[in-house]
């Protein structure tokens, strides 16, 4: 039974660094085709990086972060199954995207007030 509330998810993929960029793009297109996401899927390519520890005897991986919104979460198990079966995917993590990381953005007035407070604190020392 599909959910009426759409939710935003974030997926982090680590692909085998031996794959060429067009192969990675093709894999992303194929896997994301299973999602039937509402709206665009935003991708952030972090590129090839050294892994903290070997995964499947690999020292390097190609990192991609994707954000997508799903209306029907029942597609997630099939999506995860496809990722598990793909030998080019070393690791993946799918999580609910609750909010952006870091402090919330401040308005110009808040920045000015903070700077004024900081200047006053320095004068007192």
């Amino acid at each position: 039974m599909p959910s009426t509330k759409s939710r935003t998810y974030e997926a982090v993929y680590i692909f085998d660094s031996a794959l060429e960029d067009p192969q990675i793009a093709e894999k992303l297109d194929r896997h994301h085709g299973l999602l039937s996401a509402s709206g665009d899927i935003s991708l952030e390519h972090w590129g090839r990086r050294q892994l903290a520890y070997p995964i499947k005897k690999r020292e390097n991986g190609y990192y991609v972060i994707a954000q997508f919104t799903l209306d029907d979460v029942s597609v997630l198990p099939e999506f995860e199954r496809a990722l598990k079966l793909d030998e080019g995917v070393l690791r993946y993590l799918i999580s609910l995207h609750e909010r952006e990381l870091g402090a919330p953005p401040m308005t110009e007035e808040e920045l000015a007030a903070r700077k004024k407070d900081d200047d006053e604190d320095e004068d007192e020392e």
Side-chain angles (χ1 to χ4, degrees), residues 42-100:
S42 72
L43 294 174
E44 192 176 324
H45 290 263
W46 284 11
R48 287 169 178 77
R49 295 174 180 233
Q50 184 172 354
L51 301 172
Y53 53 88
I55 301 174
K56 297 182 182 176
K57 299 181 182 177
R58 302 287 195 280
E59 299 288 330
N60 297 298
Y62 187 95
Y63 286 73
V64 179
I65 288 83
Q67 280 188 2
F68 49 89
T69 302
L70 295 180
D71 294 326
D72 181 11
V73 297
S74 67
V75 299
L76 280 177
E78 182 60 28
F79 175 63
E80 285 195 73
R81 182 178 172 277
L83 290 171
K84 283 179 190 170
L85 294 174
D86 189 332
E87 292 183 12
V89 178
L90 301 179
R91 284 277 197 281
Y92 68 90
L93 175 68
I94 302 167
S95 60
L96 266 174
H97 181 74
E98 307 257 340
R99 61 181 175 81
E100 295 298 323

Side-chain angles (χ1 to χ4, degrees), residues 9-13 15 21 24-32 35 40-47 62-68 79:
Y9 291 86
E10 185 171 81
V12 179
Y13 311 102
F15 290 97
D21 291 357
I24 291 171
E26 185 269 327
K27 286 180 179 296
L28 286 167
D29 287 343
R30 187 165 22 108
H31 291 307
H32 290 158
L35 289 174
D40 290 336
I41 296 175
S42 72
L43 294 174
E44 192 176 324
H45 290 263
W46 284 11
Y62 187 95
Y63 286 73
V64 179
I65 288 83
Q67 280 188 2
F68 49 89
F79 175 63

